[in-house]
Amino acid sequence: MSVAFDVVIRHADIATATDRYLADIGIVNGRIEAIGKHLGGGREEIDAQGRLVTPGGVDSHCHLDQPMSDGAKMADDFLSGTRSAACGGTTTVIPFACQFKGQSLQAAVDDYHQRAGQSSAIDYAFHLIVSDPTPQVLHEELPRLVAQGYTSFKLYMTYDDMKLNDRQILKLLSVARAEGAMTMIHAENADCIAWLTEQLLDAGMTAPRYHAHARPMLLEREATHRAIALAELVDVPMLVVHVSGQEAVAQIRAAQGLGLKIYAETCPQYLMLTADDLDQDGFEGAKCICSPPPRDKANQDVIWRALDNGTFQVFSSDHAPFAFEGPHGKQVHGDDAPFTEVPNGIPGLETRLPLLMSHGVLDGRIDVHRFVDLTSTQAAKLYGLFPRKGTIAVGSDADLVVWDLETPRTIQNSALHHNVDYTPYEGIEVKAWPAITLSRGVVVWRDGQYLGQAGHGQFLACERPVPAQVRGRGHRSPVWRP
Ligand code: DUC
Ligand code: ZN
Ligand code: ZN
């Protein structure tokens, strides 16, 4: 057989967000050149033997090497973080270039390119985090950066060093609307959290479990409702990140039912953990401190249903890698520090796809098309990377996962490839794990071995995700005049 391709994957059981069929996949120069039966030869041949093959994961919410203001340091840089992602079937990450107050956005972007450039093993784009929306940021930097491929930004309604007030959010939403960018919103009510926290600390309730008491779902519901109202006022799409349970889901569904372009994301912690996981002996509960906090079993069920019924478009990890031991992570202020001093976030880049494939698809909660949509396709679409990323199609990058659905295993941190000394999912059984991950046609993970290389990952400039016909329809805003 003459050689027609660099790589051919034979007998693949291909699943995309919409289709499922058996075919070979031919790859040239990192792109899918042909899909069909009995393709010509490849310099490298991979026999998928009828195994499920899905698009590589797009993890559109993860934090890597993000400088912190309180002395903490993330355990994963772009090297270890993207290595871990590849071993779990993720081939594109979109972490954040985070602006500190007083810093220019451009300086933040330049800094993150330094961090990622020579290190990343898989492709990456950047969201921006805007914490200081000066006139310069709003009217000069953001329009220029959106045009250069940084087409989404995250806004915080909480965290003292990040939070914006409603008026600032409105200004940023107006820029998003004018520029066709996607806004991501962290929706929790900061003043209510501060008020509750004060009372908890005054009463000596400082243990990790009180983190969940300081951030009840009511506060997420209120902020979600308010964020949606602000987006409605400006008449612009918005994506609510890391939704934790029923009350925020209800707000999002109501908005979607009204025809508003409100999108939503959830994460593995809201399916696999509960607030009880913060209530462990000693300081152990700090391992599961993240915001919003995990809720309870009934809310896990709501999240599963909302994954299935289309309320959520995106399932991301919110990987925020802080070591449990040592002076830089969860114990940066000691091993009995109050919950307010514990860095927020948990690791999850590598376990995201196996957990959802196993507990979602194989346990019958969602179908494989929904899985692909949630873990890859919708993130690529909503952040301007589709169809290069997010699907299996001729012309798309050959970012692929060949699945092993036959080998049950127990998640153990010792088998993971991040640089964090724990996983909150230790001991959880999964029936699925990537057998092979390809990044632009290069095998980066195969049969338990990491084969990737620092620097293989390329920066992806994103398209404007919000087309003009979605922006500025104007019919919902009594005030806004373009
Ligand atoms: N919450 C966030 O908003 N970001 C990082 C981690 C977390 O818990
Ligand atoms: Zn957040
Ligand atoms: Zn986050």
Side-chain angles (χ1 to χ4, degrees):
M1 195 185 281
S2 64
V3 172
F5 301 100
D6 297 335
V7 185
V8 176
I9 303 177
R10 302 246 173 240
H11 316 299
D13 175 9
I14 296 171
T16 68
T18 48
D19 298 304
R20 186 157 185 183
Y21 55 98
L22 282 173
D24 303 339
I25 302 171
I27 300 166
V28 175
N29 287 334
R31 297 224 166 177
I32 298 175
E33 176 85 6
I35 302 175
K37 307 267 188 209
H38 314 298
L39 291 186
R43 249 192 310 282
E44 183 179 353
E45 296 260 339
I46 296 172
D47 189 356
Q49 300 162 321
R51 281 183 163 178
L52 182 67
V53 176
T54 60
V58 177
D59 197 331
S60 59
H61 187 160
C62 53
H63 305 263
L64 294 175
D65 203 9
Q66 189 173 310
M68 308 306 295
S69 54
D70 65 348
K73 188 169 168 9
M74 288 192 168
D76 278 322
D77 57 15
F78 278 79
L79 179 59
S80 61
T82 57
R83 173 182 71 204
S84 172
C87 299
T90 286
T91 50
T92 301
V93 286
I94 317 183
F96 298 88
C98 177
Q99 178 201 26
F100 284 116
K101 285 201 163 71
Q103 188 188 30
S104 83
L105 269 181
Q106 185 66 53
V109 167
D110 293 346
D111 179 33
Y112 279 80
H113 274 292
Q114 286 292 323
R115 292 165 191 270
Q118 305 305 311
S119 303
S120 192
I122 57 172
D123 291 351
Y124 59 96
F126 291 123
H127 307 291
L128 308 170
I129 290 175
V130 185
S131 63
D132 198 1
T134 60
Q136 161 100 358
V137 164
L138 290 167
H139 305 305
E140 290 174 35
E141 290 207 287
L142 271 174
R144 189 177 70 238
L145 287 165
V146 171
Q148 290 172 357
Y150 309 89
T151 60
S152 44
F153 41 83
K154 183 175 177 191
L155 311 181
Y156 284 83
M157 299 171 88
T158 186
Y159 293 137
D160 286 346
D161 49 352
M162 304 276 198
K163 70 176 185 219
L164 304 175
N165 62 36
D166 292 355
R167 191 166 174 189
Q168 291 172 311
I169 293 172
L170 287 168
K171 288 182 182 176
L172 280 156
L173 289 172
S174 303
V175 173
R177 183 176 186 275
E179 302 301 328
M182 179 60 72
T183 308
M184 310 158 76
I185 193 98
H186 179 131
E188 290 182 292
N189 181 311
D191 281 335
C192 294
I193 292 169
W195 182 75
L196 284 172
T197 300
E198 204 171 19
Q199 292 180 72
L200 288 162
L201 296 184
D202 282 352
M205 296 168 160
T206 62
R209 68 175 180 277
Y210 294 111
H211 173 79
H213 295 235
R215 307 178 99 97
M217 200 165 18
L218 165 63
L219 310 192
E220 187 184 349
R221 183 233 292 169
E222 186 282 327
T224 303
H225 180 91
R226 183 158 38 100
I228 290 169
L230 300 179
E232 182 177 7
L233 180 60
V234 178
D235 189 17
V236 70
M238 172 188 275
L239 188 145
V240 185
V241 295
H242 45 50
V243 172
S244 74
Q246 192 272 331
E247 295 189 31
V249 165
Q251 296 300 321
I252 290 157
R253 274 196 83 73
Q256 291 168 343
L258 289 170
L260 301 178
K261 296 283 178 204
I262 297 298
Y263 304 105
E265 169 206 87
T266 193
C267 314
Q269 48 269 41
Y270 306 116
L271 298 173
M272 310 308 298
L273 305 178
T274 69
D276 289 346
D277 290 299
L278 277 71
D279 190 5
Q280 299 179 51
D281 289 347
F283 203 58
E284 281 287 302
K287 289 179 175 176
C288 297
I289 285 187
C290 60
S291 295
R295 307 298 181 184
D296 61 12
K297 176 76 180 62
N299 281 289
Q300 290 181 347
D301 293 343
V302 169
I303 297 290
W304 276 117
R305 274 200 299 283
L307 283 168
D308 186 39
N309 70 21
T311 306
F312 289 116
Q313 288 68 45
V314 178
F315 184 74
S316 73
S317 67
D318 198 6
H319 182 82
F322 297 104
F324 182 63
E325 303 287 350
H328 300 303
K330 294 284 184 182
Q331 302 182 28
V332 60
H333 297 291
D335 63 4
D336 61 353
F339 66 87
T340 45
E341 307 284 316
V342 178
N344 280 210
I346 59 179
L349 264 173
E350 192 167 345
T351 43
R352 176 180 73 116
L353 296 194
L355 283 169
L356 194 67
M357 178 62 83
S358 187
H359 291 261
V361 179
L362 300 185
D363 286 353
R365 292 180 168 113
I366 58 170
D367 71 21
V368 72
H369 305 296
R370 182 66 78 192
F371 169 88
V372 172
D373 215 29
L374 286 161
T375 57
S376 183
T377 312
Q378 282 296 338
K381 287 183 174 174
L382 289 166
Y383 298 122
L385 292 171
F386 188 85
R388 179 170 175 190
K389 303 295 185 187
T391 193
I392 299 175
V394 172
S396 295
D397 281 355
D399 290 353
L400 301 162
V401 179
V402 181
W403 284 90
D404 173 2
L405 303 179
E406 266 117 51
T407 316
R409 58 194 99 204
T410 306
I411 293 178
Q412 291 177 316
N413 197 55
S414 56
L416 300 179
H417 300 79
H418 58 197
N419 204 24
V420 186
D421 57 358
Y422 77 97
T423 167
Y425 309 116
E426 187 81 29
I428 291 181
E429 308 283 332
V430 287
K431 288 169 275 189
W433 206 275
I436 305 174
T437 308
L438 292 101
S439 162
R440 275 184 285 103
V442 176
V443 173
V444 290
W445 163 255
R446 184 171 202 159
D447 299 329
Q449 267 207 296
Y450 174 64
L451 302 168
Q453 276 194 339
H456 166 77
Q458 293 180 352
F459 171 68
L460 304 164
C462 298
E463 307 276 336
R464 293 168 199 261
V466 185
Q469 63 267 30
V470 173
R471 284 179 261 159
R473 290 171 306 169
H475 64 279
R476 293 214 166 266
S477 174
V479 179
W480 176 261
R481 293 284 176 275

